[in-house]
Amino acid sequence: MHIGNKQTILAVDDTLANIDVVKGVLAQDYLVQAALNGKMALKIIEKQKPDLILLDIMMPEMDGYEVCQILKSQAETKDIPIIFLTAKTQEDDETKGLSLGAVDYITKPISPPILKERVKNHLILQASKDMLAKQNEILEEKVIQRTSQLAEIQD
């Protein structure tokens, strides 16, 4: 959801210092909201869908994998791009995150320029996907209308 002209990023991390780093990197270009755990993130998302989620994996109670699974299983949230932002550096962890539906996987400590570019690129990709979906809906409606018109002519 856009607030003003800025797109909204939800940063989910149980370490406040990590959220501060993300805000420092992205706040100039985006509205950055924060959640300190998975349950808080889900409550925020329920009220206001962000344009993109930066999600830590290792959190108490509900880890990032579980949050991702929940979001990807719901029609209202399945298309929100999720980027895992984590200290887990093993290939298996990255593979698991991507297989759950994340669009990207960035390891900590983050590189500010890389974080900025990946967020920007994924937001552009999502906007393009949304635009194509809308255009497909318009085309499908036109096909239905035209098919109906042709059926009337043939009767």
Side-chain angles (χ1 to χ4, degrees), residues 83-96:
I83 299 175
F84 279 114
L85 192 57
T86 180
K88 293 178 83 67
T89 60
Q90 296 299 310
E91 186 176 305
D92 289 348
D93 297 316
E94 185 171 353
T95 301
K96 181 176 180 178

Side-chain angles (χ1 to χ4, degrees), residues 135-149:
Q135 288 182 343
N136 278 341
E137 286 176 21
I138 292 167
L139 286 173
E140 287 173 10
E141 184 59 36
K142 286 182 179 182
V143 167
I144 291 168
Q145 289 173 355
R146 188 67 178 138
T147 303
S148 177
Q149 289 170 348

Side-chain angles (χ1 to χ4, degrees), residues 10-28 30 32-36 54 85 108 110 112 115:
L10 176 61
V12 186
D13 198 306
D14 60 324
T15 305
L16 202 50
N18 291 336
I19 288 176
D20 288 343
V21 168
V22 168
K23 282 185 175 183
V25 172
L26 299 175
Q28 182 177 344
Y30 307 99
V32 181
Q33 296 180 315
L36 293 173
L54 296 171
L85 192 57
K108 297 174 188 171
I110 63 164
L115 177 62

